[in-house]
């Protein structure tokens, strides 16, 4: 049975039994404490913890998940995968243990001809929490399981919680006995014999403080008991498809087959190669799904995870012997399998491939640069008679060039060296701790929302801002630091919830409205507007006059100019997006946006920079659309209807079943959007693009001004052109040639100055070579050159002096200069000095240490630098002292 069919049957089964089919939430998690959704119940957390009221009592979904903790283990075992799918059915205060067990057992054992999975009942077991006698009796009654096929396990294995105080409850799992070839009889924890594939969580208790998976106190029972189940789709697939592990199921194995064809290596012959094949297949699929949900490669957060997955896949193909670009061969294979369950991937594949292939091109260039750094590190290590590459160097290769540590280890082994992996891990730990500290500082996830929930229970905040900018309303509640307050006085900054409001809450890239909320003797300045709980609009206000308290009748009014310019910017964003797609094609899809009065920023999928001609064409298409005075309208429809209508959705956003579609000029621009807009396109006013830049592999950014801000920008540009024309005594159209001529003349003058300065520096060589200092038989020249001499000229000076020294007497030359406040030092030795076992690399490190830096190089010439010019003279003396110690020691 194909994986897509297993998925379809699951959803159909529960839909037929009154469950609302809920689409998977996007992979990026809205919780700031998580990068990605890692469980089927992720999007239902607000319902389980009481932050929101569920719109249905029963639900079912297949949630896309990404697990990042086990990336290094992928391929080494048959259990670890990065992307996976979790089938689930959920009850919010509706049915409980009996129905959950009944549904699960029925679907699992029902014959395939009748829509079930057709598992043989004789090899199925159930595990339960050891104190849950109720579940044991239900398994006996509903499934007919005897006592010897019901396993009691402790809290560690069969009790669920979120790891923090809140909802929790016992679990019950369905396991399958795969036979003695997979492990010992009745061994529930070791091996793969008794494989759990469906976990039923009976959420009935409240837990207290405590760490770990067990030992925390159970404080009582929930007022409403819930069901949360998770059936591992990939696990069921390999059980039903008769293969040994998830890498060999229909959604993954074709990538292994293609990788085998490309590399000429066979899967199933060599364990090391098998691991690499599995890494490729897993990571290619994971990357496909992540990019499909709007994640782009980068150096932080989810972008870093995606980059790491792509680079590990590329590297694994290289280790399999395939040196050519591989993603262009493998990604389409994964698409063919995954589009059966996720058809939206196919029309978006142009963009997905563009992002992935651009990252591969960048990594291939990075490998070239990083390999050069690696080669230098190896040479320096061997020159110092070392056998171990420094952990700091391995970390640099990882952090700067994207080299996985195991790649560095393998490359070092080929050179007969080991790697200081302990030092590397220490630096990685430091980096992770810094990242965790930063994440903790930004944390806002499951903070106390009880005050918001209490106000939300009184009803949804009505938003009137689409129709009007001023609304008479009433204060529903006042909050101070998230807690309900009775009142707030002048000077305080608090949060206020109104019964209805015209103020737009920040979302969809549009920042919040500004304005005033007033009443008799009361004046509140609106600073920000947010939706901390779905359905509740919260205004952060500064109390300017009077006392604000619940029940107060108020007049809420948005700053008119603010809203007009905000509408211009948001509609302008849609216009630019449509212009982009018209000029560049349908793959130039928006991947993020930000707009505020007069300004817009739009990120879009594209792998190369836009030349001036293309930028001008986009700007012209956008302004022509503005001039055409196209109608702008908004209407509500179901999400499937919107997609069928061709409306574009923003990556990573979670949409309700009913969505708002904003249309500009009919099909020319149709996007899902909750923002505020102009009535006709001409109201956007002037639109001028100000910059285009890269924000990551395969993602570009356009910035623009609209309306009066665009005119002000053009006015500043015109004033600048006038000023340049006056100063250069040239007409505006002559300025490019005039500036180019001046730049060329400046470059010529700089080259001449460089030549003269180098000549002046080198002129001192003869004099310095003629009067060296004798240091225990070594001729030593320690010279501080004038400030401003660069490293290249210092090196020339040191070599020139060395060339003028007596060849049969050991000579050491140290020259130093301070350039832009930073010292640079070069040490050069002749052959005789090297025969005395002196090394330039050792001596330059002595000098560099005195100026707060580091250095290195070959035995005959080495170079270094630092940050402390005050130590320059001491550095020259330190080299002299070190020579004496080495020669006499």
């Amino acid at each position: 049975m194909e994986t897509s069919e297993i998925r379809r049957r699951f959803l159909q089964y529960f839909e037929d039994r009154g469950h609302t089919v809920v689409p998977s939430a996007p992979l990026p998690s809205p919780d700031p404490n998580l990068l990605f959704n890692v469980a089927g119940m992720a999007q239902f957390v607000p319902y389980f913890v009481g932050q929101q009221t569920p719109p249905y009592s029963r639900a079912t979904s297949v949630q896309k998940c990404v697990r990042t903790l086990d990336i290094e283990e992928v391929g080494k075992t048959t259990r670890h995968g990065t992307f996976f799918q979790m089938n689930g059915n959920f009850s919010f205060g509706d049915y409980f243990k009996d129905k959950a067990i009944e549904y699960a057992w029925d679907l699992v054992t029902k014959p395939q001809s009748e829509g079930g999975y057709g598992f043989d009942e004789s090899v199925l077991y159930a595990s339960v929490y050891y104190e849950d006698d109720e579940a044991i009796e239900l398994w006996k009654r509903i499934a007919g399981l005897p006592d010897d096929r019901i396993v009691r396990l402790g809290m560690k294995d069969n009790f669920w919680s979120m790891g923090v105080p809140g909802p929790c409850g016992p679990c019950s799992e369905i396991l399958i006995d795969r036979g003695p070839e997979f492990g010992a009889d009745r061994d529930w924890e070791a091996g793969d014999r008794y494989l759990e594939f469906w976990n039923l969580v009976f959420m009935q208790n409240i837990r207290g403080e405590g760490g770990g998976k067990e030992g925390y106190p159970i404080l009582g029972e929930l007022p409403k008991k819930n069901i949360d189940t998770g059936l591992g789709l990939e696990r069921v697939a390999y059980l039903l498809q008769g293969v040994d592990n998830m890498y060999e199921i229909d959604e993954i194995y074709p990538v292994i087959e293609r990788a085998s064809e490309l590399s000429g290596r066979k899967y199933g012959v060599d364990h090391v190669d098998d691991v690499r094949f599995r890494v490729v297949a897993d990571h290619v699929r994971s990357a496909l799904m992540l990019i499909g949900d709007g994640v782009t490669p980068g150096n932080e957060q989810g972008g870093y995870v995606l980059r790491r997955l792509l680079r590990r896949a590329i590297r694994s193909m290289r280790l399999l012997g395939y040196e050519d670009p591989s993603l262009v061969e493998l990604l389409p294979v994964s698409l063919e399998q995954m589009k059966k369950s996720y058809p939206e991937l196919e029309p978006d594949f142009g963009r997905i491939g563009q992002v992935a292939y651009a990252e591969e091109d960048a990594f291939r260039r990075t490998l070239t640069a990083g390999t050069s750094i690696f080669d230098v590190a190896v040479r320096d290590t061997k020159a110092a008679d070392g056998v171990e590459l420094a952990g700091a160097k391995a970390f640099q290769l990882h952090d700067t060039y994207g080299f996985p540590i195991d790649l560095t280890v393998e490359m070092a082994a080929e050179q007969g060296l080991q790697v200081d992996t302990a030092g590397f891990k220490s630096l990685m730990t430091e980096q992770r701790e810094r990242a965790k500290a930063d994440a903790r500082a930004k944390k806002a996830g499951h903070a106390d929302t009880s005050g918001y929930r209490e106000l939300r229970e009184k009803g949804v905040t009505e938003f009137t801002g689409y129709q009007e900018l001023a609304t008479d309303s009433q204060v529903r509640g006042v909050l101070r630091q998230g807690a309900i307050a009775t009142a707030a006085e002048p000077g305080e900054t608090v949060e206020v919830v109104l019964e209805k409001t015209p103020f737009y809450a920040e979302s969809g890239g549009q920042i919040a409205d500004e304005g005033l909320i007033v009443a008799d003797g009361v004046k509140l300045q609106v600073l920000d507007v947010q939706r901390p709980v779905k359905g509740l609009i919260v205004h952060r206000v500064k109390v300017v006059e009077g006392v604000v308290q619940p029940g107060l009748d108020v007049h809420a009014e948005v700053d008119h100019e603010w809203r007009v310019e905000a509408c211009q910017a948001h509609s302008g964003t849609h216009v630019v997006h449509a212009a982009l797609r018209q000029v560049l094609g349908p793959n130039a899809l928006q991947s993020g946006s930000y707009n505020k009065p007069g300004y817009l920023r739009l990120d879009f999928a594209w792998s190369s920079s836009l030349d001036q001609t293309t930028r001008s064409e986009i700007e012209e298409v956008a302004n022509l659309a503005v001039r055409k005075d196209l109608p702008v309208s908004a209407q509500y429809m179901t999400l499937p209807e919107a997609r069928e209508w061709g409306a574009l959705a923003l990556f990573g956003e979670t949409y309700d079943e009913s969505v708002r579609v904003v249309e500009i000029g009919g099909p020319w621009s149709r996007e899902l959007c909750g923002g505020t807009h102009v009535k006709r396109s001409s109201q956007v006013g002037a639109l001028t693009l100000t910059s285009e830049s890269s924000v990551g592999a395969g993602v570009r950014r356009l910035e623009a001004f609209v309306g009066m801000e665009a005119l002000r920008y053009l006015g500043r540009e015109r004033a600048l052109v006038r000023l340049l024309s006056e100063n250069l005594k040239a007409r505006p159209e002559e300025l490019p040639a005039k500036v180019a001529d001046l730049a060329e003349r400046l470059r010529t003058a700089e080259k001449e100055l460089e030549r003269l300065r180098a000549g002046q520096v080198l002129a001192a060589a003869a004099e310095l070579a003629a009067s060296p200092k004798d240091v225990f038989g070594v001729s030593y020249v320690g010279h501080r050159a004038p400030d401003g001499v660069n490293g290249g000229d210092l090196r020339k000076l040191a070599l020139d002096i060395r060339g003028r020294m007596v060849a049969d007497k050991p000579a050491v030359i140290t020259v130093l200069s301070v350039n832009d406040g930073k010292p640079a030092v070069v040490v050069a030795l002749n052959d005789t000095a090297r025969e005395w076992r002196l090394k330039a690399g050792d001596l330059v490190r002595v000098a560099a240490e005195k100026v707060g830096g580091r250095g290195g190089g070959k035995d005959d010439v080495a170079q270094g630098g630092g940050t402390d010019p005050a130590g320059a003279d001491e550095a020259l003396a330190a080299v002299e002292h070190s020579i004496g110690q080495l020669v006499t020691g």
Side-chain angles (χ1 to χ4, degrees):
M1 187 182 298
E2 288 192 339
T3 305
S4 58
E5 176 62 14
I6 298 171
R7 178 183 187 275
R8 188 200 66 78
R9 289 190 181 207
F10 186 91
L11 294 175
Q12 186 66 58
Y13 180 89
F14 284 101
E15 184 177 25
D16 291 345
R17 285 151 184 81
H19 293 66
T20 298
V21 177
V22 181
S24 170
L27 281 167
S29 172
D31 185 340
N33 303 312
L34 297 171
L35 289 179
F36 304 112
N37 284 318
V38 295
M41 53 87 73
Q43 64 176 312
F44 303 111
V45 168
Y47 306 150
F48 287 131
V49 301
Q51 290 178 348
Q52 297 177 21
T53 301
Y56 29 66
S57 59
R58 300 181 175 197
T60 185
S61 72
V62 178
Q63 176 62 47
K64 297 177 286 188
C65 302
V66 162
R67 178 170 46 211
T68 62
L69 295 178
D70 300 326
I71 289 177
E72 295 292 346
E73 299 303 315
V74 168
K76 296 177 184 178
T77 74
T78 59
R79 292 187 176 190
H80 295 93
T82 312
F83 172 82
F84 62 98
Q85 300 155 90
M86 190 59 70
N87 298 11
N89 60 287
F90 308 91
S91 166
F92 309 104
D94 187 351
Y95 62 83
F96 199 46
K97 292 182 185 180
D98 54 349
K99 280 294 182 183
I101 291 173
E102 177 186 326
Y103 289 150
W105 188 257
D106 183 46
L107 177 58
V108 165
T109 60
K110 185 190 292 288
Q112 294 185 9
S113 60
E114 298 177 17
Y117 294 147
F119 279 97
D120 180 359
E121 294 185 23
S122 67
V123 294
L124 298 181
Y125 289 71
S127 71
V128 297
Y129 179 52
Y130 76 102
E131 292 182 348
D132 194 356
D133 294 331
E134 179 187 5
I136 291 173
E137 291 306 313
L138 288 170
W139 280 113
K140 291 179 178 180
R141 178 171 61 81
I142 294 170
L145 289 177
D147 288 329
D148 63 352
R149 282 174 43 209
I150 300 175
V151 187
R152 292 178 183 259
L153 297 174
M155 180 175 277
K156 177 182 175 183
D157 297 301
N158 273 54
F159 203 91
W160 174 90
S161 83
M162 292 176 62
V164 295
C168 63
C171 303
S172 191
E173 301 172 332
I174 301 179
L175 306 94
I176 185 170
D177 181 0
R178 303 173 73 195
E181 63 270 29
F182 289 96
D185 186 32
R186 316 296 291 180
D187 188 348
W188 307 112
E189 297 184 4
D192 292 330
R193 175 165 179 173
Y194 297 95
L195 191 69
E196 173 264 318
F197 61 91
W198 198 341
N199 186 22
L200 317 177
V201 176
F202 308 132
M203 209 178 297
Q204 64 188 57
N205 303 113
I206 303 173
R207 62 159 286 181
E209 294 282 357
K213 294 185 176 181
E214 55 188 334
Y216 46 80
I218 305 301
L219 305 180
E221 291 199 349
L222 289 170
K224 288 185 178 180
K225 297 178 180 180
N226 305 314
I227 287 295
D228 158 27
T229 83
L231 174 110
L233 182 54
E234 284 77 9
R235 190 164 288 190
V236 173
Y238 74 73
L239 290 173
L240 289 181
Q241 291 174 16
V243 295
D244 287 340
N245 58 71
M246 63 174 288
Y247 302 105
E248 298 173 13
I249 66 172
D250 61 315
E251 284 190 348
I252 303 177
Y253 190 68
V255 175
I256 292 179
E257 288 183 310
R258 182 61 181 142
S260 176
E261 293 171 3
L262 294 171
S263 66
R265 308 271 184 96
K266 297 298 182 183
Y267 179 72
V269 174
D270 177 78
H271 175 70
V272 174
D273 279 355
D274 285 355
V275 169
R276 291 166 180 163
F277 279 122
R278 292 168 185 165
V279 166
V280 170
D282 173 89
H283 289 4
V284 165
R285 184 174 79 138
S286 300
L288 171 73
M289 302 306 296
L290 284 167
I291 300 172
D293 272 1
V295 182
T296 55
N299 291 325
E300 296 181 352
Q301 304 295 318
Y304 178 74
V305 172
L306 173 59
R307 170 163 287 169
R308 187 179 176 203
L309 292 172
L310 286 168
R311 292 186 171 190
R312 278 173 56 85
I314 296 162
R315 169 188 159 268
S316 294
M317 285 300 293
R318 291 170 71 92
L319 291 175
L320 285 166
Y322 189 74
E323 298 285 340
D324 293 335
S326 57
L327 293 182
V328 70
E329 300 286 347
L330 301 174
L331 206 64
V333 177
S334 188
L335 169 71
E336 285 302 308
Q337 304 308 313
M338 298 308 297
K339 71 181 185 183
K340 298 173 185 177
S341 293
Y342 304 97
E344 66 273 13
L345 290 170
E346 187 164 33
D348 193 27
F349 189 68
R351 179 194 65 85
I352 294 170
Q354 195 171 60
V355 171
Y357 306 154
E359 179 64 21
E360 179 162 23
D361 289 343
F363 185 45
R364 287 169 66 84
R365 293 191 298 271
T366 288
L367 276 174
T368 301
T371 300
S372 299
I373 300 298
F374 173 82
D375 290 342
V376 171
V378 169
R379 188 167 61 245
D380 290 347
T381 302
K382 289 184 175 180
D385 296 327
V387 297
E388 186 176 69
L389 196 69
K393 184 59 65 175
F395 179 76
Q396 179 193 6
L397 286 165
H398 167 84
D399 198 48
T400 307
Y401 297 98
F403 272 46
I405 182 60
D406 47 350
L407 174 60
T408 303
V409 169
E410 288 187 21
M411 290 173 65
E414 292 170 0
Q415 298 293 328
L417 295 176
Q418 296 179 329
V419 176
D420 175 17
T421 53
F424 170 83
K425 290 177 181 177
S426 175
L427 290 168
M428 283 295 294
T429 299
E430 289 179 19
Q431 186 185 63
R432 288 193 188 101
E433 290 303 319
R434 287 193 298 270
K436 287 178 182 178
D438 182 59
R440 284 193 294 269
K442 297 177 181 178
K443 197 179 279 189
H446 294 298
D448 183 10
T449 58
S450 57
Y452 302 127
R453 295 202 308 272
E454 184 177 330
L455 293 175
R456 173 62 180 81
E457 287 172 359
K458 296 179 180 179
V460 172
T461 306
E462 180 185 351
F463 175 62
T464 64
Y466 290 139
Q467 298 82 32
E468 58 189 13
L469 296 182
T471 300
D472 290 328
S473 188
Q474 187 178 83
V475 175
R476 180 186 296 175
V478 178
L479 301 103
R480 187 180 289 107
Q481 296 181 340
I484 297 291
T486 56
E489 299 182 347
E492 285 194 86
T493 297
V494 295
E495 293 175 315
V496 169
V497 175
L498 306 180
E499 294 293 336
K500 55 184 179 178
T501 179
F503 285 90
Y504 181 79
E506 180 179 1
S507 64
Q510 180 177 335
I511 68 170
D513 282 332
E514 292 186 359
L516 297 173
I517 300 173
V518 297
D520 290 339
V522 176
K523 182 178 180 182
L524 311 176
Q525 180 185 357
V526 177
L527 306 175
D528 190 18
V529 190
Q530 298 290 334
R531 297 177 186 263
V533 171
K534 188 175 181 180
L536 192 73
I537 298 177
V538 178
H539 312 73
R540 187 166 67 89
V541 303
K542 181 178 181 180
V543 184
V544 180
E545 298 176 8
V547 176
V548 60
Q549 55 191 3
L552 180 68
D553 291 327
V554 295
H555 180 75
E557 186 166 353
V558 176
D559 183 306
H560 178 76
E561 286 302 314
W562 178 278
R563 173 63 77 81
V564 167
E565 294 186 3
C567 289
Q568 288 177 314
H570 204 150
S571 296
T573 305
H574 285 222
V575 168
V576 170
H577 188 202
L580 264 175
R581 290 167 54 77
Q582 180 175 322
V583 173
L584 300 180
N587 290 340
L589 276 172
Q590 176 181 331
S591 59
S593 68
Y594 172 78
N595 50 78
K596 64 180 181 179
Y599 167 85
L600 68 89
R601 183 182 77 207
L602 185 145
D603 296 343
F604 63 100
W606 203 249
S607 58
S608 58
S609 61
L610 307 183
D611 58 33
Q612 185 57 50
T613 301
T614 304
R615 288 174 55 180
S616 296
E617 186 178 357
I618 294 166
E619 187 176 71
E620 182 173 350
V621 169
N623 279 293
L624 284 173
V626 169
R627 194 182 70 176
K628 286 179 181 177
D629 195 32
L630 302 172
V632 180
S633 62
Q635 54 185 299
Y636 289 88
M637 60 188 69
T638 66
L639 185 57
E641 288 172 341
R643 285 177 171 152
E644 185 176 346
W645 206 37
L648 301 175
L650 185 65
F651 295 120
E653 288 288 330
T654 301
Y655 296 97
D656 294 331
E657 186 63 23
S658 177
V659 295
R660 183 171 181 258
V661 178
V662 173
E663 186 180 68
I664 301 177
W668 186 70
S669 172
R670 282 179 181 151
E671 298 192 32
L672 273 62
C673 180
T676 61
H677 289 271
V678 298
K679 301 297 183 185
R680 302 190 70 85
S681 65
S682 61
Q683 294 171 345
V684 170
L687 190 154
T688 181
L689 300 182
T690 59
S691 72
E692 187 266 342
S693 59
S694 170
V695 289
V699 181
R700 307 296 297 180
R701 171 171 291 173
L702 280 177
E703 295 180 87
F705 288 124
V706 297
M708 287 304 299
E709 280 301 319
L711 295 177
R712 294 185 186 105
Y713 173 81
L714 293 173
R716 293 192 296 271
E717 294 279 290
R718 184 173 56 191
L720 178 61
V721 169
R722 185 185 301 119
L723 180 63
L724 286 172
S725 294
E726 292 172 356
N727 287 340
L728 297 178
K729 300 188 181 338
R731 293 191 301 273
E733 63 270 21
E734 297 172 341
L735 284 176
K738 188 77 170 178
V739 171
D741 179 60
L742 285 173
E744 181 59 33
R745 288 162 62 185
L746 179 60
R747 282 193 292 270
T748 301
E750 287 176 341
K751 286 180 181 178
E752 180 62 18
L753 282 173
E754 181 75 17
R755 188 185 66 78
L756 292 172
R757 185 170 63 245
Q760 192 176 33
V761 170
L762 294 173
E767 183 180 348
L768 291 168
S771 55
K773 185 174 184 179
D774 185 81
V775 181
F776 297 99
V778 176
S779 295
Y780 176 62
V781 175
H783 173 63
R784 178 168 179 176
D787 288 354
V789 179
N790 62 39
D793 287 344
L794 277 181
R795 186 181 181 90
K796 291 177 184 177
L797 176 60
L799 295 177
D800 195 4
I801 296 171
R802 186 181 70 178
R804 296 170 185 267
M805 304 285 284
V806 178
D808 59 359
K809 185 175 181 179
V812 176
I813 299 93
T814 305
V815 290
L816 184 149
S817 178
V818 177
N819 191 10
D820 289 334
K822 295 182 179 180
V825 60
V826 175
V827 175
L829 279 65
N830 65 6
D831 291 341
T832 309
R834 292 167 63 193
E835 291 172 3
W836 282 38
R837 304 188 68 80
L838 297 175
K839 296 180 180 180
D842 293 341
L843 295 174
V844 83
R845 280 188 280 272
V846 171
E849 183 179 345
K850 297 300 182 182
V851 292
R854 295 182 297 179
K858 299 180 181 179
D859 290 351
D860 60 337
V861 183
Q863 192 163 337
T867 58
D868 181 15
D873 293 334
E874 187 180 353
L876 296 173
V879 174
E880 179 181 340
H881 180 69
S882 183
I883 293 170
Q885 285 186 318
L886 292 168
V887 171
T888 60

